Every structure is written in C-alpha cells, then in structure tokens.
Amino acid sequence: MSGKGGFTLPGEAGQEKLTLELCKKWGADCIRDSDGTQLSDEILKSGVPIYSTICLVRSVNEWAKRNMDKLQRNFLITAPELATGESLEIQPLKGFFDGQFTLCPEDEPKEYWQVFDRTESSEIPKENWEYDAESKTVLIRNTVFGHMYTVSFLATRIWEEISMYNHITNDWGDREHLMAVEPRYPEAQEALLSFLKKWLDEHPATSVVRFTSLFYNFCWIWGSEKRRRTIFSDWGSYDFTANPVSLREFEQEYGYKMTAEDFVNGGLYRPTHTPPCQKQLDWMEFTGRFVREFGKKCVDLVHSYGKKAYVFYDDSWIGIEPWSGHFGEFGFDGLIKCVFNAFEARLCAGVKEVPVHELRLHPYLFPTGLTGEPTFAEGGHPERDAKRYWTCVRRALMRVKVDRIGLGGYLHLVEPFKEFQDEIEKTADEFRMLKSLHEAGAPWETGIRIGVLHSWGKKRTWNCSGHMHEHPELYLNHLYESLAGMPFSLSALSLSDVAESGVPDDIDVIINTGRAGDAWSGGDMWQSPKLQSAINAFVVRGGALLGVGEPSAVTSGANRFALSGILGVDEERGQGICLEKYDFEKTDGHFITKGMKEAPAFGNAVAGVYALDGKTKVLFSNGRDVSLSAREFGNGRSVYLCGYTHSSENARLLYMALLWLAKKDGSLPLYLPDDCAVECAYFPVAKSLVAINNSGEHKRASIQTESGGLTVEIAPYGISVTDC
Amino acid sequence: MSGKGGFTLPGEAGQEKLTLELCKKWGADCIRDSDGTQLSDEILKSGVPIYSTICLVRSVNEWAKRNMDKLQRNFLITAPELATGESLEIQPLKGFFDGQFTLCPEDEPKEYWQVFDRTESSEIPKENWEYDAESKTVLIRNTVFGHMYTVSFLATRIWEEISMYNHITNDWGDREHLMAVEPRYPEAQEALLSFLKKWLDEHPATSVVRFTSLFYNFCWIWGSEKRRRTIFSDWGSYDFTANPVSLREFEQEYGYKMTAEDFVNGGLYRPTHTPPCQKQLDWMEFTGRFVREFGKKCVDLVHSYGKKAYVFYDDSWIGIEPWSGHFGEFGFDGLIKCVFNAFEARLCAGVKEVPVHELRLHPYLFPTGLTGEPTFAEGGHPERDAKRYWTCVRRALMRVKVDRIGLGGYLHLVEPFKEFQDEIEKTADEFRMLKSLHEAGAPWETGIRIGVLHSWGKKRTWNCSGHMHEHPELYLNHLYESLAGMPFSLSALSLSDVAESGVPDDIDVIINTGRAGDAWSGGDMWQSPKLQSAINAFVVRGGALLGVGEPSAVTSGANRFALSGILGVDEERGQGICLEKYDFEKTDGHFITKGMKEAPAFGNAVAGVYALDGKTKVLFSNGRDVSLSAREFGNGRSVYLCGYTHSSENARLLYMALLWLAKKDGSLPLYLPDDCAVECAYFPVAKSLVAINNSGEHKRASIQTESGGLTVEIAPYGISVTDC
C-alpha cells in the first residue's frame, strides 16, 4: 500500500482486486463496509485497517419482534375535521403510512392522547371522548357545529426509517422490515449491548466501528397518499424520542409533563426552522443527556476491544448534537459527515471535541443519484458529479483542516468509470495537499469575526437543518455556504444570550437573516427591549449589522424590522401603505458595489423593502424596492440585502459588504483575487498561496498579497499553489 | 335651452358664449362655478339653474388670522431617535412641512403630548421630560443607552390642505394661505354661520349650494423633505379632528381619555387599511355626531333660503360617512362623487338617504392630469381620457341609476378641443339613455347576493379608502371594480357582526380578501372561534366563500388562513417548510375555467399558497403555487384566488367563479356575452338589452337571454340597445 493516507475506501467482497487497486490509486489507508456489502477475508487480511458500520437500534430485529411494546414511539396529530353534529368520529391513523405507524394495544390512550377543539384552541376534557380499540376510532361527544377537531396520539413505529426508505426506493420486496427499538427500556439496552459485544467479538479485524449514528432518527413522518408521501421531515426534530418511558422520566426530573401538544404543536410539529420554546429546549437537553449516557456505554465497550469509535453525523444523529458543548462526553474518536456543500464541511470540521474529522464525499457509489438521475449507470457522468461536489466542498478545506475523506457505496460500480477513478485520485491528492498546509500552520484570515444571530445559537452553527438542496429557500444556508470558503471567523449566537448579556466582545459583525417568524430571523423574541437595545448599543458603539431578507421581523408594532432604525430600511406588509415612502436615489460607486454592473440576482428576494430616509444609501433596487443598502449608525455600520443565494458573484458582494461593515474599506483588500470565480488562501508558515478556480473556465487572476501583487493562472476547477 | 338634463356644466365668466353653447350641446340643466372661477351676470341670468361651490372651514380667513388658537389641530409623532447618553433632545416639528404645521404657544404641552421609549414600548413619565418653547425642543432625561424615543404632540395646521396642494402645485406665489378653522369652538361656528348667511344673501341666483365638503379634510401630513413630500395620507383617517375641545368633550362623554398615542399609533397612525380598534370607532362615532349636528345647521340655513344643499363626497368629507346609516340626518339634497372608476359610481349611487346622486367625471378641465401629463394642453388628448374614464364608469351605470353627471374646472380650456366636446355630448346622451331605462324599471340580476366581509363592514361598502390609482395593490378595490359592473347584489359585512350574529340570511357568497393583518383580510380578529365557526357553519350548510390573496390570515397558530379548512389551501410563510406539500394535479375543464387557455394574470399575486389535499381542485398554478382553486365543503363551496386585478378577462373569471359558488353552474349563463370585453344589462320593463363594448375593437357577441340567443355588434367602446 502506498499509504498516502486520509482516505476511506468502501471495499466489497468479490471485488478484491479492484478494492486493492483503488486503495493504492486513491491512497486509501482504511477500508470500510457499506450497507449491504461484506468484506472478504482477503480484504480483511490485506493489512489495511478495517472500518465497519453499525446501526445499533435496528440491529436486534428478533428481539424487537418479541417486544413490540418497546419499539420507538412518537406523537402524531390527525388533520382537523369539522363537526356538523353533536359528535364526531376520528380515526387517528387515517392519512399516515401503515407501513410505518401503528397503535400499541398496551397503551391507555387517555394517558397520552389529546383531543382538541382547534377552533376554540382548547383541549376536550378526557371524559368527552372515547377510543374504541376495535374500530380504531375516537368518538368525540358534545361537539360544536362548525368547529374543527384533532386527535393527537402516541404511535408506534414499526419500520426504521432509513431502512424503510432504502427498502421502498430499491424495491427490496419481501426483505425483512427492520424496526428501531427504544433504548430507554433497560431490557432494550441490554439487548443492544449484548448484540454489540457479540458483534465486537465477531469482528476482530475491525479497527474502527462507525456508528450510523446512535439511537434516534431525525423526524420523518410518512403519509398514506402517494401525492404526499412525506408528511413531515426535519433533520433536527426530536419527535422520535417521545415514548412512555421518556415522558415519565422527564416529568419526574423537570417537574412538569410534556403533552402530545408540546410535540405536535397544532399540526406544525416543532421544526428546527421555528423558534424553539423552553419546553422543547428542556426536552432536547433531557434527551441529549440520555443519548450521551447510553452512547458512552457503547463507545466504552468498543474501546474495551481496542477499537476506535466513529460516529456518523447524519441519519440517527438526534441527541448527539456535536455543537452542544457536550459532545466530548461520548469519547468518540472520529466524526464523519456526509457533505454536498462547503458549509457541511465546516459543520464537521468545527467540532473541537473529537480528534478526527472525516467527510463522506458525493456521489455515493450507487447506480442513481438523489433525484433518480443515473450516476454509476448508463448515461451517468460520475466524474462530473464528483468534480462539482468537490468544487463546492474544497472551498471550506482552504480555510480549515479536515483529517480524512472517503466514499460510500458499492465499489464494483466504479469499475467501468475510469475517469471517475482518475478524478478521485486528483481529489484525494488535492485534499492531502491542503491538509498538509493546514498541518504546517493556519492560513491568513481577515481578522473579522462574524456572529450569526438566531434563535438556536451555537447548536446550529454552520447549518440550519438538513442539506442545501432540501431547503434552498433559506438565506442562512446560502450565507453559510458563501462564508464557509472565506477568511472570516464565525460563531453562532443565540438571541436569548445576547438579550441577557449583550453582544460578546469578540464579535465585529452581527448577521441576522431569515423569514419573519422563523428561527433564523428570530420571530417575536425581537420584541425584547433588552435584545433590541443590545444590538443598538453594539452598532452605535462601532459594531456592524448585516440584515438579510426579513431580519428581526416582528408581528406587531409600527416597524416590521425591530432593527429598522439601524438598517435604515423596513418592509411594507400592507399596514403602512398610507405612509408614503422616501423617494431614494441610487448611490453608485460605493465600496461594496464598485465595478458591479448589474443588481445582484437572488432567487429568494423579499419584496416591499423601502428606505427610511436619505441616510440609507441604496446601492441597488428593483426600481421600487430596496435590494441592497448601506448605512452609518452612530460609530457603526449596517448593510441590508433583500435576499441571498450563493454564487461566486454574490459571495464576492458579501465579502465586500463584510469588509465595509468591519471598516476594512480603507485599503486594497488582501488575498482577494480580482476574478470572483477565483478564491485563495495564504498559508504564512508554509509561505504558500493556494488559489482555486470554482468555474469551468480557465482563469487568470491578480491577487494582492502583503508583499505585493501577483497573478495566478488556473485550469477550469483547478487549484494552484504559489510560493510567496 | 334644450334642457336634455342631468348634466352640470362648469361655467366661466368671460366665456359666456362658450358656456351657453356647450350648455346646449351637452344638455346641461345646471351651471356651476369652480375653485378660481366666477360666473358672470350673463350666465347667472341665463335661466339655467346655478350651482355654487363653497368650502366653509377655509372661507373665514380673516377670522382665522385673529384666532390662531382656534385653527384645526392634529397629533403628530417624530421619527424615533436613539439615546446614546443620559438625556436626549428631540425637536417635535423636525421633518414636518413648516408651511402646514406649527405649535400653538397657548398649549400646555404636558396636557396632550407624550414621550415614549419605543424600545420598551412604554410612556416616559411627564416629570422626566420638559419642553423648551424657546428652542422648540423636548429634553428627555434618564434615557437608556440604545433605546429609541419619540415625541407625540398636538400640532396646529396653518394651511388648509386642498388649497395648500393647489397653491403649491399651480405655483400661486404669494396668494394668501387659507387656514381651516376648528368648528368645535362656538366662536368659530358663529363665524362660519354668519359667513354662510352673508354668502347666501349675496348669491340669490344660486339654486344649489355645493359644500366641498364639510369640516374636516382627510388626513394628509406633509414632510419637510422634497423626497418625501407626503408623510401620511389616507382618505378615511380622522386625525384632523383631534383638538383640545374635541378631546375634552370626548373624555366627558365616553369616560376615558383619547391620548396622542391613540392617534399616532407608534408612527403608523390609524389608516383605514388596518383593522380599527374600539377607541378609534368611538372617536369616529363621536366626531360623526358633531359633524352631523353642525352640518345640519348649515344645511338648514341653506334650505331656509329656498336653495338646495349638495355635498361633495371627497376632500373634507371626514365625519360625513354617507354609508354610516346616519347620513339622512344632514338633510342633504344631493351627493356628488368625483369618479375615476365604476366602484366609485356604486359608492355614490348606493347611498339611499339622498334623492340626487351626481358624478363628477374625469378629466377635470385642467391643463394637466393627475401625474402632470398634458390634458387640455399641447399634446393632450382629453377626448381619449374622457372615453377611457367613461368606459370604466359606464359599467356601473348599467346596474344602478345615477341622476346626474357633470364636469369641473375651467371651461375656456375646452374650446380648442372639438373632439372632446363631441365625446362629452355622446357621453351625456349615453348617460341619459341608461338613466331613463333605470327609471322605467330595474335591470335583471342573477339573484346572487354577495357579502364582502372585512373589518369595517357597511361603512366601507364599495371602497377601501381613496381611489384605485392610489392603492392599485389592494385586491378589494379591484374586486369592487369588477363587481360594480355585474348583476349581483353586494353588501359589506363586518367581522364583528358576523362573529356576533352569524352570516345574515340574505347572503349567498362571502368574499374575504386582503393582505395578512389588513382591515380587508381582517387580521387577528380571525382568531375568534365564533367568527371561524360562523363561516364554517355558513358554508357547510350550503353557503359559499371566495377567498382572495391572504383571506382570514392570522399571525399565530398552525394555519396561516383561519379558513384554510374551507378553502382547502393555506399559505407557506416559512414556519411549515418541513411539512411537505400535497403534490396536486391540475384540474382542467372546470366550469369556472372552461375555455381559459392561460392562467389568470394578477399583478398582486401571493406566493407560497399550497393545496391541503386532493379534495382541493387546483384550476391554475404557477407550477408550484396555487393560483386558483375550488373545493366543496359540506353542502357549500369555496374558491381561492391568489390575487386579483380588474380586467375584462379577470372579471369574467370572477363572474364564473361566483356562478359556480352560488351553484348556478347547471345551465347556460343568461345575459353573459360570449366575449368578455362585452357586458350587457337587460331591462325587463323597457324590454331593452343594453350591451357595452369595453374594448377598442369592434365586437360581435352572442348573448343567451330568457327567450333565446341573440347576437350584438358594437363599435369600439360603443353601446348597443336591442329590443327583446
């Protein structure tokens, strides 16, 4: 083995030759199995360290079948139904996928279920409804004509979601449905630990056990209708952790009871994208403690076998929360993140309490991609996909060190795709080069410290919830994506912390962005005078604020944006149409927009934003609404952007805005190539200037360095290293 | 004089020949003066009845100059200012037009003024601020660093707004500024009545006294900056009725005090477009009573001279409220409305408590139009303008009787525009023909009774506030415009009445439309269970609901639209992005959209509306968001439209939707021309079918009547009458 290192290869039995060949070509120092693949003795004994995946909660299916009352549970809510008589019958499971959900016959419905009059927003007393187990129907009595009713209930899940998805997508026919057991039950813990022990005994060749991930999947509720296959999905919701044991333990510990309504929230559930309430935060903390406690037992067991334990930062990651500040308690040896984008690389790399950070690159070695398009199949161009994803991710690796990369899937699929094999070789080499530069010493930064201000604070640093392609409408995902490749330091601040203690001293620019009422903008938390005055004081004393979309938007009061005074803009939503708007004149040649010929293009722009007065410099507008503006406020500065989507052009605009906000507009920006498709990082210890070309065209770009200007030439999607 | 009648001509001294010539050509039976014109003896003695305009409150300028403490007043609020120390100085008048506003030296500021910490949303105790009359500055003590402060104060207005606007727009130089006196002062009343008496004595030739209008102008606050000349303007706001006398009387009568904040509302003021609060409604009632009481004295005085009293339904109309149910108390003989649009003609014609309804047509006989474009000047085409406005207004006159039409302005300008003279001759003839048909007997109607449901109810029937061109973004103005020419009956219902007593029995279709939180949609009043269940019950029992834009939108809860259950659609605003949306299939060939090839085009469409489930029939979408949908709900029906702007095509769509909603989709629609640019009205007593062509193209249209089909041919913008 060449041992170039830092690369995890998915091996496959029967593909020994290819496995070892690509191992060499890509410099892999570790071979993994994948769902549905086995490693042969030849591979296991090749001398390359072995890395095995395990998803504990779905691994004891025989035990699960014997203990159906100890499967994982969650609350569901029916669609509202109208009463047109004195009673109403509602079938709780109606509309939900019966492959996923059932009712537990052992349950006493009145312990957890709730019936609501949604028109009155009031719970129906338990004596006014009955559940009939025979017909699986709730009968509500004394209903009011014209009112809408719902039933919330504790369902049992009979199919673990990831295996359900794979099974259905890949048409696995009568292959057994795997079920997720609830590890809060001591009996389940015992079954899981003895399974793990047995597994460890049986896998002496394994060096690294990769957990996929721990116990609770993100919330993924399926429906019965083909035209609404998914009812709810959120990578950050804790719905699947509710069950009789946890509910009872929580009540004992916190002194109050979590109800169905606390989870189903009238039908909205509790997505990461809405501001969390205190009960929800309590529940997350409570769950996190359990996951860490039992997770540590599993990790310790792995360690007792002299093996390392890595964890996958996707799928069943609920309760793990690598950014919670408690992640170190697990004792994991590595954190693995599947990445499409640069911000996901930062999300992984930024977790300090683990020695190894590994990225699982796309495309996966599967015949088809995310939307069913061919990848490793007739018509597929996996080498192009690989280049595209790597170009995204590489931006982040210019700024921070990542220890490993790797692939997943079925290696035999790669055989006919030689260009892909070459592409990954190049990728691996670029990765190792960047890693070695970081190891020599950190790259140059602007020194500008950004605080992203939202409801979640640190817990949701470098991501909102899920991948970019799932919610491309979110401004913050796009901002994170742009910032992931820029020389700024970034931390996330919570609105409540700032309200309590002000803006921390180590922040130069606050970013607040989102849609009105969402967790990123912050919702009515902005009505807090302490929060408002903290930001006012921060900016007036010389700080800066970047508002994007509907920053600090509140639902009542004269202003839509609580920070309109600083931003110098506000949003017209219909209540102020009799207040005539200031007839602004566009400001040309501003530091932020110098050289820009066209208004920035955002797919998600907010309409109806207007300038308060002439002190707001409108840099771009659509002729009527403000697209981009800048303003001085006391000793500080603010910029407003009506939307944001990541692109090279927009990222450059954002960069210039941040320089201006931080008052670094006095001199020529350093290490900023004059072509926005090119980005660079200077590593002072190694005296190396690395430049990347994010475009498919050959680029020649001038760069100002501390020791003068230089010009680089870079091939399409290429990388160049210059000593300087 | 030919005496064809029903036409009011603006006469002009020195233009006797033209006046009498056009009087004949247009069939005028009445000659009026205009602002700035005089009628000569020759005209006065021509035998044609004379009609004179008078604006009382600005007519006693000498008295006003001697009684500057008895001018009209109003509350204003400063722009919020930031405190960065322990005190803050704010100049109340800063930012306001000094030609319009001043401070009254006799005031004791602490009686009415208020200082607010806007960050805390709390009033500053009066001992913590002082007003210095010398520097005209308020000093606020013990301010909090980072908080924003405002001063609200009672200003004096030193220039009556309509004369101010005319003066400035027409550059009248040093012509005297007219001031509006406050008629609540007994001394002012005395001055006004004795002026009126003298005026009546001096105008024996006048048959009709036209009041312009009574005492209080709509709210029109001007700013000091050229780029924001108007700060606030609303045709329906009562701000200009606040003054020491009214405030004191109100407190005595209602037992509570109106504060500055009740008017300035944190800077939003109280536009008609936001849901009124109870204090505001109390104040309007209180003011209305005074206006009626003193107004009646003026009308009685006019009557005592054997003259008639008409009132202009624009300008100083505040407190008159022709739709309040109390209008009859004035004893007016005529109501005159300046009209651009059909809905304004219905607004005038629908007032039952007055015998004569007169429309003032556009264009006014001025050199330039609304936006400064030439009218009766080089490059102007007043005949085209006249045709365009008349085509709009005529639609309404097909449905309801109006008694008179007329023009305003300077007649001499008309002389060189012969085509205009001919156009008006045609207009006057068409008007008289339609009027005579109505006099014979009412036209056929569909029998469908529409209830427009909003915060104001009856008071704001057939209009929101102001003209279409001022707020073209309002769905309801456009709906009113379309409906004004259709054979439906229409009334406006208030949300609170419906919450209290349900939907009245004589309503078939409820329309609710607006933007979230505005007075037309209704705002958080929709959280009322009684209101929701009233509409649910109405529809489920067989009624119908048309929702447009953001109907029944509320700020909290799982649904954005409180009536989403009926409409089968809801709006995604960012809180439900994890709830996957039903993947609807477009429904073709529905009764409403039969024959429509393209999606309706609305300039004001709401984005993000989705179908709840498959029971919602999506008739048009933009590929993702619902544009138009229909649904059955119990025995009733609903339709949702994502926006609405008036056009022939959209009006036809609306017509079909209303027929479907009212279950009149079983047979071929009667009296509905097969070309949407053509509309018709059947007058059964006269046995006349009138058809109008709203387009500039020659039209041939088939119409189904009770006695079979027929075809009409109509010239561009023409009208045809068929006996049948």
Side-chain angles (χ1 to χ4, degrees), chain A residues 415-433:
Chain A
E415 237 227 303
F417 293 93
K418 303 293 174 200
E419 287 178 73
F420 175 79
Q421 296 176 20
D422 294 344
E423 187 64 37
I424 295 297
E425 184 180 9
K426 225 162 65 185
T427 296
D429 286 341
E430 287 187 12
F431 160 71
R432 282 184 287 257
M433 187 267 287

Side-chain angles (χ1 to χ4, degrees), chain A residues 70-191:
Chain A
K70 296 186 180 63
L71 297 185
Q72 291 196 11
R73 312 286 298 268
N74 64 287
F75 284 108
L76 293 175
I77 179 172
T78 62
E81 293 196 30
L82 184 81
T84 55
E86 288 176 359
S87 69
L88 178 67
E89 288 189 349
I90 295 181
Q91 290 181 300
L93 285 173
K94 189 177 154 193
F96 297 103
F97 178 40
D98 58 6
Q100 186 182 16
F101 299 106
T102 189
L103 297 172
C104 180
E106 284 82 4
D107 277 2
E108 169 40 66
K110 296 211 173 172
E111 188 177 1
Y112 302 110
W113 296 20
Q114 287 182 308
V115 177
F116 267 80
D117 176 336
R118 290 290 162 193
T119 306
E120 288 278 3
S121 301
S122 63
E123 189 180 350
I124 300 299
K126 296 207 190 292
E127 59 271 24
N128 276 346
W129 60 268
E130 292 304 333
Y131 172 65
D132 178 53
E134 194 78 31
S135 61
K136 293 187 173 162
T137 300
V138 170
L139 173 75
I140 312 166
R141 283 184 296 267
N142 303 324
T143 50
V144 182
F145 191 104
H147 282 210
M148 306 282 259
Y149 294 83
T150 59
V151 173
S152 312
F153 58 103
L154 195 56
T156 293
R157 294 205 316 287
I158 49 175
W159 204 349
E160 192 275 334
E161 283 65 31
I162 302 300
S163 65
M164 175 174 84
Y165 173 79
N166 287 333
H167 196 294
I168 290 172
T169 307
N170 298 313
D171 209 4
W172 282 349
D174 56 3
R175 201 192 283 190
E176 188 173 49
H177 294 192
L178 300 181
M179 296 185 281
V181 301
E182 172 49 59
R184 288 253 182 197
Y185 290 99
E187 303 91 321
Q189 286 189 20
E190 205 177 298

Side-chain angles (χ1 to χ4, degrees), chain B residues 367-611:
Chain B
T368 54
L370 284 175
T371 54
E373 79 285 5
T375 313
F376 294 92
E378 177 91 23
H381 282 282
E383 75 287 357
R384 290 185 203 162
D385 299 339
K387 197 192 281 288
R388 179 163 51 90
Y389 288 123
W390 175 244
T391 304
C392 286
V393 171
R394 184 176 62 179
R395 295 180 58 244
L397 304 193
M398 303 262 286
R399 306 299 166 197
V400 287
K401 181 168 82 91
V402 156
D403 306 284
R404 308 185 54 78
I405 57 174
L407 297 170
Y410 313 120
L411 199 68
H412 73 273
L413 292 172
V414 163
E415 237 226 305
F417 293 92
K418 301 294 176 203
E419 286 179 73
F420 175 79
Q421 296 177 19
D422 295 344
E423 187 65 36
I424 296 297
E425 184 180 10
K426 223 161 67 183
T427 295
D429 286 341
E430 287 186 13
F431 160 72
R432 282 184 287 259
M433 186 265 287
L434 287 169
K435 179 180 166 188
S436 71
L437 287 172
H438 281 288
E439 281 168 347
W444 175 89
E445 286 207 341
T446 56
I448 299 170
R449 299 158 303 177
I450 294 167
V452 178
L453 182 59
H454 55 59
S455 302
W456 291 102
K458 194 182 170 203
K459 262 199 209 73
R460 297 292 173 265
T461 309
W462 285 119
N463 88 326
C464 295
S465 172
H467 305 294
M468 176 78 99
H469 60 262
E470 290 160 345
H471 290 297
E473 71 275 31
L474 295 173
Y475 310 118
L476 186 52
N477 272 346
H478 288 277
L479 287 163
Y480 275 147
E481 184 65 5
S482 292
L483 292 166
M486 292 181 184
F488 303 106
S489 83
L490 181 148
S491 54
L493 311 172
S494 86
L495 294 163
S496 51
D497 286 349
V498 169
E500 198 56 46
S501 323
V503 176
D505 286 340
D506 61 358
I507 295 297
D508 302 304
V509 182
I510 289 280
I511 297 180
N512 180 243
T513 176
R515 282 183 83 177
D518 76 10
W520 317 116
S521 174
D524 280 333
M525 173 74 198
W526 277 109
Q527 283 176 342
S528 153
K530 287 177 75 179
L531 178 57
Q532 285 183 37
S533 66
I535 306 295
N536 282 344
F538 167 72
V539 179
V540 87
R541 287 180 169 130
L545 171 69
L546 171 62
V548 180
E550 298 182 312
S552 72
V554 289
T555 51
S556 64
N559 298 111
R560 174 70 161 177
F561 299 161
L563 301 180
S564 62
I566 300 176
L567 295 168
V569 297
D570 208 346
E571 186 189 4
E572 178 56 63
R573 292 284 310 148
Q575 64 175 352
I577 61 172
C578 292
L579 290 159
E580 305 270 327
K581 305 305 184 281
Y582 184 82
D583 178 26
F584 61 79
E585 234 179 347
K586 183 170 173 275
T587 297
D588 290 318
H590 192 277
F591 175 83
I592 298 176
T593 50
K594 217 171 343 194
M596 276 181 75
K597 283 174 197 81
E598 280 175 46
F602 308 128
N604 50 13
V606 161
V609 173
Y610 60 93

